[in-house]
Amino acid sequence: CSSDLASRCFEKNGFANTTVQQIADEAGMTKSMIHYYFENKQALIGELQAFVYERHLRKVQSRLADLGANTEGRAHEALMQAFEIVRDKGFLRLQLELLSESGRDPDIQRRLAALQARSRDVVGEGVRSVLGAKADTLPISIDVLAALISAVLHGLRVFEYVEGDDAPTKEAYELFIGLLVIAMKAVSPDAPS
């Protein structure tokens, strides 16, 4: 897939240092073929954003579907799947590149904001599917909870990336999941443990 190839180039060289020619070389195509599908490098970046986010969000949704209607352990498993996705170093490097580029390009910033909102929606769907009707009894909105979960996921992943040690990060995330489960149990005694 050309998005995967472009992603590798951006991860290796950064957005600013990656040329359309390098992407074409990586894909075994001509530069004109890349321009046939993408108006410019910014358009390619936009498509890459959507591709990467959707691929990872589908993994979380698939995991939720695999867990079925049985709520036992559903929250923990879904949250751990989300954590495993953001642990992907290539995904994180791409995220950091996108965040950096979004400060210079308002179009990338708008697209990234929309994709982050989509990510929070998936997390919110997961919370709703675990809690069912009890989700409406939470003392905070599902949107706020989804934003908190997403922020913790990404923040811990950046910490792990910088520190280079995943043990404290995983332990912190498991503690965070434990706190979420305790909070859900307080709202819904039949929530998963």
Side-chain angles (χ1 to χ4, degrees), residues 3-4 46-62 85 91 94-95 98 111-122 125:
S3 294
D4 277 334
E47 289 305 312
L48 179 61
Q49 280 179 292
F51 172 78
V52 169
Y53 263 83
E54 286 303 317
R55 179 177 61 191
H56 289 299
L57 291 176
R58 280 193 306 273
K59 286 181 184 177
V60 173
Q61 289 173 317
S62 174
I85 289 167
F91 177 70
L94 187 58
Q95 284 292 98
L98 288 170
R111 289 181 66 104
L112 187 57
L115 292 167
Q116 300 248 107
R118 169 89 172 98
S119 176
R120 287 191 307 273
D121 288 347
V122 169
E125 288 170 23

Side-chain angles (χ1 to χ4, degrees), residues 11 24-25 29 35 49 55 59-61 63 66 70-71 80-81 85 94 96 118 126 128 147 169 173-174 188:
E11 287 171 23
D25 291 346
M29 302 171 77
H35 282 296
Q49 280 179 292
R55 179 177 61 191
K59 286 181 184 177
V60 173
Q61 289 173 317
R63 184 64 182 143
D66 289 346
N70 180 0
T71 59
M80 286 309 291
Q81 177 65 43
I85 289 167
L94 187 58
L96 294 173
R118 169 89 172 98
R128 282 186 191 86
T169 306
Y173 189 65
E174 288 181 3
S188 174

Side-chain angles (χ1 to χ4, degrees), residues 25-145:
D25 291 346
E26 183 80 21
M29 302 171 77
T30 65
K31 185 176 171 182
S32 61
M33 284 296 294
I34 298 291
H35 282 296
Y36 177 79
Y37 292 102
F38 304 101
E39 180 181 338
N40 53 36
K41 189 166 77 168
Q42 301 306 74
L44 178 58
I45 291 168
E47 289 305 312
L48 179 61
Q49 280 179 292
F51 172 78
V52 169
Y53 263 83
E54 286 303 317
R55 179 177 61 191
H56 289 299
L57 291 176
R58 280 193 306 273
K59 286 181 184 177
V60 173
Q61 289 173 317
S62 174
R63 184 64 182 143
L64 282 171
D66 289 346
L67 293 170
N70 180 0
T71 59
E72 187 63 35
R74 188 176 167 91
H76 184 270
E77 287 298 316
L79 289 167
M80 286 309 291
Q81 177 65 43
F83 186 61
E84 289 304 313
I85 289 167
V86 298
R87 290 184 77 207
D88 174 343
K89 290 185 190 229
F91 177 70
L92 180 64
R93 281 192 298 274
L94 187 58
Q95 284 292 98
L96 294 173
E97 285 286 341
L98 288 170
L99 288 170
S100 176
E101 192 65 21
S102 73
R104 292 182 284 279
D105 187 324
D107 186 50
I108 290 176
Q109 193 272 336
R110 279 190 298 279
R111 289 181 66 104
L112 187 57
L115 292 167
Q116 300 248 107
R118 169 89 172 98
S119 176
R120 287 191 307 273
D121 288 347
V122 169
V123 171
E125 288 170 23
V127 170
R128 282 186 191 86
S129 73
V130 167
L131 292 178
K134 303 271 184 171
D136 295 330
T137 65
L138 287 174
I140 61 172
S141 76
I142 297 291
D143 292 339
V144 170
L145 182 58

